Amino acid sequence: MGRPQAFDTAAAVRAARSVFWAQGYEGASVPELEAATGLSRSSIYHAFGNKRGLFDASVESYLSEVVRPRLRPLLADDVAPTALVGYLTGLREALEAHSALAADGCLLINAAGSRIGQDDAVRAAISDYQRELREAFRRGITATHPDLDGASADRGSRTITALVVTALALTRVDAAAALENLDAAIDFAR
């Protein structure tokens, strides 16, 4: 019988998430992950299987702790007419405040542009993430503009998704352009 786990898994995953978020999967070395999490290599491998298992746990942590709380008002049973502009304005403020999101962009969008993004499971996670954004934004558009037909709401949600994804991809290299994209999304959502 093995020893009981003596560390906080969620805290270790959050620490690893910060490394993956800043450096990407390929750039994050196991020694850096050990230092960030305070775990030995054997503990990481025992708990997560390998570096990739820790990355997968980090992606799920990112979605549940960073992405979905921001989307919650857009996914409620009764979406407020101001929810979409509120989401976009909050995202803009986070990027403008030079938060981790501003410094490192989006963990999943960053992964999409790297080798790990070619992995089928990661590709599916990125696709699901984009679909989740698009559906949330569609709900926000419909709440803001209840008379809009379905095709127009779909086009609007795709447009806002594209602007948000582009802003998150640009924030690391051109913060001003990222903010301009969010301003365009806010104007479009109104």
Side-chain angles (χ1 to χ4, degrees), residues 92 95-96 98 102 163 166-184:
R92 188 191 194 290
L95 295 186
E96 193 170 39
H98 306 291
L163 288 166
T166 304
L168 292 170
L170 284 173
T171 191
R172 296 175 97 175
V173 296
D174 190 347
L179 295 176
E180 288 172 4
N181 276 11
L182 291 176
D183 289 337

Side-chain angles (χ1 to χ4, degrees), residues 58-102:
S58 296
V59 167
E60 188 51 45
S61 168
Y62 176 75
L63 289 168
S64 65
E65 295 178 8
V66 177
V67 172
R68 292 183 182 126
R70 285 186 177 276
L71 289 176
R72 196 166 289 127
L74 292 165
L75 300 173
D77 289 337
D78 193 23
V79 178
T82 58
L84 180 56
V85 170
Y87 169 88
L88 295 167
T89 301
L91 183 58
R92 188 191 194 290
E93 289 168 357
L95 295 186
E96 193 170 39
H98 306 291
S99 65
L101 190 59

Side-chain angles (χ1 to χ4, degrees), residues 45-138:
Y45 281 74
H46 178 72
F48 302 101
N50 53 27
K51 175 183 167 183
R52 174 55 193 279
L54 183 55
F55 177 76
D56 291 343
S58 296
V59 167
E60 188 51 45
S61 168
Y62 176 75
L63 289 168
S64 65
E65 295 178 8
V66 177
V67 172
R68 292 183 182 126
R70 285 186 177 276
L71 289 176
R72 196 166 289 127
L74 292 165
L75 300 173
D77 289 337
D78 193 23
V79 178
T82 58
L84 180 56
V85 170
Y87 169 88
L88 295 167
T89 301
L91 183 58
R92 188 191 194 290
E93 289 168 357
L95 295 186
E96 193 170 39
H98 306 291
S99 65
L101 190 59
D104 297 324
C106 170
L107 176 64
L108 285 167
I109 293 168
N110 295 346
S114 68
R115 275 185 283 140
I116 192 70
Q118 298 306 307
D119 177 88
D120 288 340
V122 174
R123 187 180 302 182
I126 293 165
S127 180
D128 291 346
Y129 168 60
Q130 182 183 12
R131 193 173 13 266
E132 194 169 347
L133 288 177
R134 198 170 50 244
E135 176 55 30
F137 298 159
R138 188 185 195 292

Side-chain angles (χ1 to χ4, degrees), residues 21-39:
W21 200 350
Q23 298 185 36
Y25 178 78
E26 290 85 3
S29 70
V30 174
E32 288 171 307
L33 293 167
E34 289 175 299
T37 62
L39 301 176

